[in-house]
Amino acid sequence: NEKMMEDAISVQDLGFNWPDGSRALTSVSMGLPKGCRSVLVGANGAGKTCLLRCVGGMYKYSGECRVFGKETYVPTRLGTSGAFEIVAGTNCWRHGNCTIVGERWQPRGDSKVSTMLEFVDGWEPARRDILVERFGIDLDWQVNALSDGRKRRVQLLLAFVRPSEVLLLDEVTTDLDVLARETLLEWLREESETRGVTVLFSTHIFDGLEDWGTHVTYVQEGKISRCAALGEVPEIAALRTQGCLTPLYNYVETMVNHDADIARASGGKKKRLSEPVGLMATN
C-alpha cells in the first residue's frame, strides 16, 4: 500500500521460525520513515536480533519485509539470500543499502586496521579520516591485540566507512565507554539528519538516548507491541508531564517488568528477561 511505499522499513505480517520449528516472530507489522532513529527494545529473547536480521535480508521469513519498497530476502538457487556480504569478517553484514552490525567480534591473525580497510570497497579516504579521528582509532593498531572497546570501535569504522542508507545496530554499545558511546550517538544523529540514514538501534543501555531517538520499536514475545514516534507514545508523554527526566528508560523498564510478570504468571517456557541498564551504566 501507499504507506508501505513511503516508509524506509516496512514490514507486514512477518513471521520467522527457527530450524527446530519454534516460532521467533509472529505477525509482525511495522513501518519506520526515512531518516528516523528508532530505539529497538524488549526483553532478552523477545526477537530483536531476529527482526534486525530479517530486515537486513539475512533470514528467510514469511510475509513482507521491504526496505525502500524492495523485498529484503532474495531467494537464490542455493536457498539463501545470497546478496549479503560479510564486511571484513567482523560480524558486520551488508545487503544492498543496509548494513547490520552484530555481536562482539574476535579477530584472527595480526592484521592492522589499515589492512582490514583494504577488504572493504566503495569508501572515500575523507570519510575514513573523519571516522578515525572521531572514534580515536590508530590505523596501525594490530586488531588481535586490542581491548574489547577498541575492537568495537574498529568494527564500527569498518561498518560505517562505506555509506549505507539503513543501519541495523544490535547492542553495539556493549564494550564502549561513555565517551565512545556519545561519539557513536552523535555520528548516527548526523548521518540521519544530513544524509537521511534510517537507524534501527537495539540496546539495553539508555545513557544518552532520551533526546537522541525519534521513534521506539518494542518487541514483546516475538510481536511488535509498539512502533511509533516517541512523541506519540502516551506513556512517555505522561512521564514527561510528571517531570520525569528519563521517560524512555522508565517506559521500557515498566514494559520489561510487565513482560516478566506475564511470563511468570503463564508458567510457560522461561525466557531470560533483563531490565534496561541504568543511566550510569559502564562497560
Side-chain angles (χ1 to χ4, degrees), residues 21-38:
S22 61
R23 198 76 166 156
L25 297 171
T26 306
S27 302
V28 169
S29 294
M30 56 178 276
L32 289 171
K34 176 180 169 67
C36 78
R37 300 181 297 278
S38 185

Side-chain angles (χ1 to χ4, degrees), residues 5 22 30 46 53-54 82 85 104 124 139 146 166 252:
M5 293 302 293
S22 61
M30 56 178 276
R53 294 188 178 193
C54 287
E85 62 178 285
R104 187 178 292 135
E124 298 291 332
L139 292 175
L146 298 178
V166 175
V252 174

Side-chain angles (χ1 to χ4, degrees), residues 14-17 50 53-54 57-63 73-76 79-81:
L14 180 144
F16 178 79
N17 287 0
C50 189
R53 294 188 178 193
C54 287
M58 292 181 69
Y59 288 176
K60 184 179 182 180
Y61 47 81
S62 60
Y73 185 86
V74 183
T76 67
T80 64
S81 185

Side-chain angles (χ1 to χ4, degrees), residues 35 120 156 170 218 255:
V120 183
L156 294 173
D170 194 0
Y218 193 94
M255 293 284 283

